[in-house]
Amino acid sequence: MSESKEKPIILVTNDDGLNAKGIKALVAMVKDFGDIYVVAPNRANSGKSNSITVEVPIRIKQVRDEENLHIYSCKGTPVDCVKLALNKILPQKPDFLVSGINHGANTSISVLYSGTMGATIEGCINGVPSIGFSLNAFATDADFTESIKYGRKIFANLVQNGLQAGICLNVNFPNNEIKGIRVCRQAIGRWNEEFDHRQDPFGGDYYWLTGHFKNAEPNAEETDEWAIQNGFASVVPTQIDMTAHDLLEDLKKWDYEIKD
Amino acid sequence: MSESKEKPIILVTNDDGLNAKGIKALVAMVKDFGDIYVVAPNRANSGKSNSITVEVPIRIKQVRDEENLHIYSCKGTPVDCVKLALNKILPQKPDFLVSGINHGANTSISVLYSGTMGATIEGCINGVPSIGFSLNAFATDADFTESIKYGRKIFANLVQNGLQAGICLNVNFPNNEIKGIRVCRQAIGRWNEEFDHRQDPFGGDYYWLTGHFKNAEPNAEETDEWAIQNGFASVVPTQIDMTAHDLLEDLKKWDYEIKD
């Protein structure tokens, strides 16, 4: 342990669960940079956003403990994993957090639904320089080779330059050869939902949530969605302050006088 | 139905569930403004953030259908409720969405964890002028009298002035007499977690997530947390674009060259 204390501690998590190929790729990406603690959900937690578990207790177990690689399985959300890692598992506050590599892109407003980014934002809230990585491919056996190469370059920049408080990175990779890395803003868009409506044998209605992403600005080259659709890895600096500062003065002009 | 089509359609939801006192207060707040559709979770969904249900189907049933008041119970998250309402339940796109009134404040970074704000943000993503309301009191029988009065004033402003695309409002009420309404920014802070560690009869570890909010800037009068701690209702314009635009140029200076 005395040796490992000199190395940076890197917390690794995801939302696809501990058995996903993407988290193994992420460990491969960062393992040469420090002492790796993996604390990840025991099963898929896609779409879990920043959610926390408050109604049931959270379970955790250590599944591997080698030099420089310590793996814990957690029955909770990605954010639960980060909170437990910071408060109960890690020997000290980690130097870095990485989340992913997600099977599926988290560009545009998907940053708001993503468990991968939920965990990343949780690291950021707690003052840990954090990056979420996603690949634009849902396949269980997706090929992360290029993602590892480009992700390692981005992570090396984080190690060298750090990040200011309140900011984390949302990184997305295209599902093909990568032409380069682009710093982007979040694209404007939304998911068009198509609920599959069924009835159970007892007459009860139920719905499966499906849908596809609709990009509202497909030609905006400065956006993350454009980048991954055109062969580039996207890097979006993402902030935890959701205040629309530009609107504060306008909103102060509303009429707030209560006449009793 | 012909009459009601001339009135605005208002979608009402929450994260505390259909039986919470807070959602009844919210219906009382807005009922004179239009035709009310309540689509809310059948049970408590606190801390569910922007999460969506993808692994199990979502169930829904109508529990009340009166003139101007239509109530649906949904076995899903607050965001599921909004998606189903917009795609399957409402006769047309709603004119407004209100969420809450939450039992418990959602100031500062709690905007990121809150199911109340998750539903509000979902409305915003879909172009519906949306407000999330929260009261700084967790009690089941909390007193919403003042919240209704001040919330109605804020809602009347929304009806009159609208909101620009990509912006919703996060409104919080203090748990006492309200001195007035303040337009604020999101306070900087975080939750200090204290996990209650226990063992089950079979030796398995489990943890209950508890904690308290730690305000990093308790004297910042322009923040939402200061407002509610000092007797004011807070109104934070909240944006769905999480890009840290100020950092884009800095990040472009990182070294992204891959040397093969």
Side-chain angles (χ1 to χ4, degrees):
Chain A
M1 283 299 287
S2 61
E3 272 180 44
S4 65
K5 276 183 185 168
E6 294 163 23
K7 302 173 81 172
I9 291 179
I10 303 172
L11 174 57
V12 178
T13 190
N14 78 343
D15 75 352
D16 289 319
L18 206 48
N19 294 319
K21 189 176 176 188
I23 198 166
K24 290 163 190 162
L26 188 53
V27 169
M29 185 201 294
V30 299
K31 68 179 165 36
D32 294 339
F33 289 89
D35 197 15
I36 309 297
Y37 282 78
V38 179
V39 183
N42 64 331
R43 63 183 190 90
N45 268 264
S46 292
K48 283 288 193 291
S49 186
N50 301 84
S51 66
I52 52 176
T53 301
V54 292
E55 290 173 337
V56 292
I58 305 162
R59 286 171 179 275
I60 193 151
K61 68 175 178 187
Q62 184 163 22
V63 293
R64 198 161 154 183
D65 191 23
E66 301 170 4
E67 197 187 342
N68 295 346
L69 183 58
H70 320 275
I71 303 181
Y72 296 79
S73 168
C74 171
K75 203 170 171 179
T77 67
V79 168
D80 292 335
C81 291
V82 176
K83 287 183 185 291
L84 267 168
L86 297 183
N87 288 283
K88 286 289 170 188
I89 297 172
L90 271 54
Q92 62 191 67
K93 186 173 171 177
D95 297 281
F96 305 101
L97 177 151
V98 288
S99 178
I101 302 172
N102 194 60
H103 293 244
N106 282 311
T107 49
S108 183
I109 49 142
S110 297
V111 65
L112 290 161
Y113 304 112
S114 161
T116 302
M117 285 308 298
T120 308
I121 288 166
E122 184 64 25
C124 182
I125 288 171
N126 286 284
V128 181
S130 301
I131 310 182
F133 295 97
S134 304
L135 172 66
N136 190 24
F138 284 105
T140 312
D141 65 345
D143 181 358
F144 291 95
T145 314
E146 287 272 292
S147 303
I148 292 170
K149 186 166 79 173
Y150 280 79
R152 187 178 285 139
K153 186 73 189 178
I154 294 165
F155 185 75
N157 272 279
L158 176 72
V159 171
Q160 177 151 5
N161 303 308
L163 267 178
Q164 71 180 68
I167 309 289
C168 55
L169 299 184
N170 181 16
V171 173
N172 283 272
F173 301 110
N175 186 29
N176 41 37
E177 202 182 338
I178 298 175
K179 296 177 188 168
I181 296 169
R182 289 207 170 200
V183 176
C184 301
R185 68 168 171 83
Q186 176 185 324
I188 298 169
R190 66 184 188 90
W191 285 81
N192 277 340
E193 263 75 44
E194 290 147 12
F195 284 93
D196 187 353
H197 181 189
R198 301 182 187 186
Q199 275 199 330
D200 65 29
F202 320 104
D205 291 320
Y206 67 94
Y207 298 85
W208 288 101
L209 172 56
T210 65
H212 64 275
F213 177 69
K214 174 78 179 161
N215 187 354
E217 42 178 5
N219 299 316
E221 297 192 8
E222 73 277 19
T223 65
D224 53 1
E225 183 64 17
W226 187 93
I228 67 162
Q229 296 302 339
N230 288 275
F232 295 94
S234 66
V235 176
V236 177
T238 299
Q239 60 189 21
I240 56 176
D241 178 7
M242 297 186 75
T243 309
H245 289 272
D246 293 349
L247 273 191
L248 288 171
E249 291 311 311
D250 277 358
L251 274 183
K252 285 177 185 171
K253 293 173 191 155
W254 283 14
D255 168 24
Y256 297 114
E257 193 187 344
I258 303 275
K259 296 172 190 81
D260 283 311
Chain B
M1 281 299 286
S2 60
E3 273 181 43
S4 65
K5 276 184 185 167
E6 294 162 22
K7 301 173 82 173
I9 291 179
I10 304 172
L11 173 58
V12 178
T13 190
N14 77 343
D15 76 352
D16 290 319
L18 207 48
N19 294 318
K21 190 177 176 187
I23 198 166
K24 291 163 189 161
L26 187 53
V27 169
M29 184 201 292
V30 298
K31 70 178 163 41
D32 294 339
F33 290 89
D35 197 15
I36 309 296
Y37 283 78
V38 179
V39 183
N42 64 331
R43 62 186 192 88
N45 269 265
S46 292
K48 283 287 191 291
S49 187
N50 301 83
S51 66
I52 52 177
T53 301
V54 290
E55 290 173 336
V56 292
I58 306 162
R59 286 172 178 273
I60 193 150
K61 68 174 177 187
Q62 184 163 24
V63 294
R64 200 161 152 182
D65 191 23
E66 300 170 6
E67 198 186 342
N68 296 344
L69 183 58
H70 320 275
I71 304 182
Y72 295 80
S73 169
C74 171
K75 203 168 171 180
T77 68
V79 168
D80 292 335
C81 291
V82 176
K83 287 183 185 293
L84 268 169
L86 297 184
N87 288 282
K88 284 290 169 188
I89 297 172
L90 270 55
Q92 62 191 69
K93 187 173 171 178
D95 297 282
F96 305 102
L97 177 152
V98 288
S99 177
I101 300 172
N102 194 60
H103 293 244
N106 281 313
T107 49
S108 183
I109 49 140
S110 296
V111 66
L112 290 161
Y113 304 112
S114 162
T116 302
M117 285 309 297
T120 307
I121 288 165
E122 183 64 24
C124 182
I125 289 171
N126 286 283
V128 181
S130 301
I131 310 182
F133 295 98
S134 304
L135 173 66
N136 190 24
F138 284 104
T140 313
D141 65 345
D143 182 358
F144 290 96
T145 314
E146 288 273 293
S147 303
I148 292 171
K149 187 166 80 174
Y150 280 79
R152 188 177 285 140
K153 186 74 188 177
I154 294 165
F155 185 73
N157 273 278
L158 176 71
V159 171
Q160 178 151 6
N161 304 309
L163 267 177
Q164 70 180 70
I167 308 289
C168 55
L169 298 184
N170 181 15
V171 173
N172 282 272
F173 301 110
N175 186 29
N176 42 37
E177 201 182 339
I178 298 174
K179 295 177 188 167
I181 296 169
R182 290 207 169 200
V183 176
C184 301
R185 68 167 171 84
Q186 176 185 324
I188 299 169
R190 67 183 187 92
W191 284 82
N192 278 338
E193 263 75 44
E194 290 148 15
F195 284 91
D196 187 354
H197 181 188
R198 300 183 187 184
Q199 275 198 331
D200 66 30
F202 319 102
D205 291 320
Y206 65 95
Y207 298 86
W208 287 101
L209 173 57
T210 65
H212 64 276
F213 176 71
K214 174 78 179 161
N215 187 352
E217 41 179 5
N219 300 316
E221 298 192 9
E222 73 278 18
T223 65
D224 54 0
E225 183 64 17
W226 186 93
I228 67 162
Q229 295 302 338
N230 288 275
F232 295 94
S234 66
V235 176
V236 177
T238 300
Q239 61 189 21
I240 56 178
D241 179 8
M242 298 184 75
T243 310
H245 289 271
D246 293 349
L247 273 190
L248 288 171
E249 291 310 312
D250 277 358
L251 274 184
K252 286 177 185 172
K253 294 172 190 154
W254 283 15
D255 169 23
Y256 297 115
E257 194 188 346
I258 304 274
K259 297 175 189 76
D260 284 309

